[in-house]
Amino acid sequence: MSSLLPPDAQRLAVLDEHYRFGLSATDLEEFAPAVAATLDSSTAVERLYERAVPPPIHRSWARPAPDRNRLGAWHVTTDITESADGPLVGRTVVIKDNVAMAGVPMMNGSRTVEGFVPRRDATAVSRLLAAGATVRGKAVCEDLCFSAASFTSQPGPVHNPWAEGRIAGGSSSGCGALVGSGAVDMALGGDQGGSIRIPSAFCGIVGHKPTHGLVPYTGAFPIERTIDHLGPMTRTVADAAAMLGVLAGPDGADPRQPSVIEPVDYVAALNFPASGLRVGVVVEGFGTPVSDPKVDAAVRTAIDVLRDAGLKVEEVSIPWHTDAMHIWNVIATEGAAYQMLDGNAYGMNADGFYDPELIAHFARQRLQHGPELSKTVKLVGLSGRYTFEVGGGKYYAMARQLVPELRAAYDTQLARYDVLVMPTVPHTASEIPPVDASLADYLTAAMSMIGNTAPFDVTGHPSCTVPAELVDGLPTGLMIIGRRFDDATVLRVAHSYEQKIGGFLAPPISTAAVEASATG
């Protein structure tokens, strides 16, 4: 048990200055015994907690040799199966390395988390194992998950299975590369600004960001509660539906979730034809300042496939979509600086699960390894902390007050249409930038592709990306958005598209043998 010593006079003076209490040295001397007395409860809570904390769990794992990790996508490899029965028996899955697996090292792509070994499985991991899945390992992700590319991660970048030297997308970069290469059947990804859908689009696979709160986030490293999501990344829509059916539902420990969620058979829902469903093509999702016209054209070709499949397609304008990024930016910078950095991942003031061991580990390492954090995380800290100090939290509060209006703008059109569609990403996967790239080039490479994906992390709508046709030999994606908690309709439309085109392509030179051998 650690010893919580009372603050000395100098530390009390620093605390007084932080809050601007205006206490004199005499005042502080008077307060010192009272402050010390309050620490008895902290010490008691620590003693009571340590009586119930689960003991360490041993699971076998290995670090793959470089020649068996050509894409840089594996963090560690495992071979864990805990059930011989369930809908995922015989299926292999990789877990994004911001999600806890007891007894398996977790790094979250960052030196600030390196060395941490969880004592508990995340709820999503427990559910996958109970469903019969075999967990092949943990997949590299971006530094604290704050990048949509794949070059901010430690110990190194993740390469695209379609073209080594290009980004795989992020922050679920290793997940996209390993599923795209054929090394595993499925991946559990995370999404706060597009981090399931962006790597899925760049790597030519299916990525489904569920409705916010449908899948418990319990046991995953948070960024900001109101935008945290976990969800499936797979090679087929049917696999995404099967995986979502296992993951979905409340666990009673995640404040992001409603207490009751009606169960849905997502696999059975795919049997209902999508013909006759109404599709709204959001014009603001095309022709953005960073859009490649060839990507826009590929997505419009994909939309024509939906039309040919019997869906009713019309263009629709949602002007709010062009301003949605401003809301996301404030929530994801000020909110993340407050919770993820100053709050050591979990923050406070919410019911539900906390991981004291991770919080303590990260609190120490965040200060020790702060210089090694990515430039994207440093930008979040600098800008988010500044706006909080200047505004006292008012900018975050304003953004949260605008969320219902933004959500209603999409809901209004989703009352007319069953789904909305647009490009997932505005361009194909760019080259991994050099280590000496300027800050401007670094940030462009890391964040230029989130304009269509990030708004739906704020509003909570489900959205799924499926591969559109190749552009210059590289994948891109069609994104399908639905009503909240109507993930089944989104998957039905995605499945109809997949069936109509006859399935999705694999990389021309498969790296599956190389990557899969890492588990052997």
Side-chain angles (χ1 to χ4, degrees):
M1 181 184 296
S2 65
S3 176
L4 183 58
L5 299 175
D8 59 18
Q10 183 178 6
R11 187 67 179 272
L12 280 174
V14 171
L15 295 170
D16 171 65
E17 176 63 22
H18 176 77
Y19 287 111
R20 304 293 195 272
F21 287 153
L23 297 172
S24 67
T26 302
D27 293 333
L28 291 174
E29 185 177 0
E30 185 179 13
F31 265 98
V35 171
T38 67
L39 305 185
D40 291 344
S41 291
S42 299
T43 301
V45 163
E46 185 175 25
R47 183 183 69 253
L48 293 167
Y49 171 78
E50 290 184 352
R51 292 194 322 206
V53 66
I57 292 176
H58 174 75
R59 280 173 167 155
S60 296
W61 55 271
R63 298 197 186 278
D67 63 342
R68 295 187 172 188
N69 194 18
R70 194 170 78 199
L71 300 178
W74 292 104
H75 175 50
V76 297
T77 59
T78 61
D79 189 12
I80 301 171
T81 306
E82 293 189 350
S83 176
D85 187 28
L88 300 184
V89 166
R91 313 313 300 278
T92 58
V93 63
V94 67
I95 307 297
K96 183 177 181 179
D97 193 40
N98 73 325
V99 180
M101 284 194 69
V104 179
M106 172 176 158
M107 188 171 177
N108 199 14
S110 182
R111 298 297 183 196
T112 63
V113 184
E114 188 174 23
F116 178 67
V117 180
R119 294 191 175 203
R120 308 166 184 83
D121 284 340
T123 299
V125 170
S126 297
R127 289 179 177 181
L128 291 169
L129 289 170
T134 296
V135 176
R136 290 296 191 198
K138 302 293 292 295
V140 170
C141 60
E142 293 294 271
D143 194 339
L144 299 185
C145 295
F146 217 99
S147 166
S150 64
F151 62 88
T152 76
S153 52
Q154 297 286 355
V158 177
H159 294 259
N160 193 304
W162 286 77
E164 291 183 41
R166 290 184 179 269
I167 64 170
S171 62
S172 307
S173 48
C175 292
L178 292 170
V179 175
S181 71
V184 292
D185 299 318
M186 305 170 170
L188 176 66
D191 199 309
Q192 281 92 4
S195 293
I196 286 172
R197 293 156 291 162
I198 290 169
S200 295
F202 283 152
C203 294
I205 63 173
V206 177
H208 184 77
K209 182 202 76 69
T211 301
H212 187 254
L214 178 62
V215 173
Y217 201 81
T218 308
F221 194 108
I223 287 180
E224 211 280 347
R225 281 185 191 88
T226 67
I227 59 174
D228 289 331
H229 300 72
L230 294 178
M233 301 170 67
T234 61
R235 289 199 294 276
T236 69
V237 176
D239 277 356
M243 194 172 174
L244 184 62
V246 168
L247 296 171
D251 71 348
D254 184 359
R256 301 164 187 81
Q257 296 193 280
S259 58
V260 177
I261 299 173
E262 292 299 323
V264 175
D265 188 335
Y266 296 103
V267 174
L270 303 185
N271 295 323
F272 292 91
S275 58
L277 293 180
R278 300 158 299 169
V279 178
V281 181
V282 182
V283 297
E284 287 81 4
F286 298 79
T288 73
V290 293
S291 292
D292 179 345
K294 290 185 285 188
V295 170
D296 281 354
V299 172
R300 289 198 178 276
T301 297
I303 293 168
D304 287 339
V305 172
L306 295 178
R307 185 180 286 108
D308 293 342
L311 285 77
K312 300 176 181 178
V313 178
E314 295 178 357
E315 290 199 345
V316 60
S317 176
I318 305 178
W320 248 115
H321 187 69
T322 60
D323 287 323
M325 275 303 302
H326 295 306
I327 296 177
W328 182 88
N329 267 328
V330 171
I331 292 171
T333 54
E334 192 168 321
Y338 188 84
Q339 179 180 326
M340 182 179 71
L341 295 179
D342 287 329
N344 295 313
Y346 279 83
M348 297 181 180
N349 308 117
D351 197 5
F353 173 79
Y354 289 80
D355 190 331
E357 292 77 33
L358 175 58
I359 290 168
H361 181 93
F362 181 54
R364 291 189 304 269
Q365 301 245 124
R366 180 173 64 81
L367 300 179
Q368 180 181 351
H369 293 281
E372 298 170 74
L373 284 166
S374 70
K375 294 176 183 178
T376 47
V377 174
K378 290 174 180 175
L379 178 63
V380 167
L382 293 171
S383 60
R385 182 67 195 179
Y386 175 74
T387 55
F388 176 78
E389 289 183 352
V390 170
K394 76 172 185 179
Y395 298 107
Y396 181 88
M398 290 173 178
R400 291 302 322 167
Q401 286 297 100
L402 288 169
V403 169
E405 189 174 345
L406 174 63
R407 183 181 292 133
Y410 296 113
D411 284 342
T412 295
Q413 296 304 330
L414 284 166
R416 297 177 56 204
Y417 300 98
D418 296 291
V419 295
L420 305 172
V421 296
M422 64 182 73
T424 309
V425 289
H427 52 71
T428 55
S430 59
E431 293 183 356
I432 294 172
V435 293
D436 60 351
S438 68
L439 178 60
D441 290 343
Y442 183 105
L443 295 176
T444 296
M447 304 297 286
S448 65
M449 65 292 281
I450 70 173
N452 281 349
T453 54
F456 301 106
D457 291 282
V458 170
T459 66
H461 293 94
S463 56
C464 182
T465 183
V466 290
E469 66 181 13
L470 300 180
V471 173
D472 298 329
L474 294 171
T476 186
L478 165 70
M479 187 166 64
I480 304 163
I481 303 104
R483 304 178 187 105
R484 283 168 295 151
F485 294 100
D486 189 15
D487 295 64
T489 297
V490 172
L491 291 168
R492 282 174 60 201
V493 173
H495 183 66
S496 180
Y497 169 79
E498 180 184 13
Q499 297 301 107
K500 186 68 175 177
I501 65 172
F504 303 131
L505 298 173
I509 302 176
S510 176
T511 57
V514 174
E515 299 303 310
S517 69
T519 66

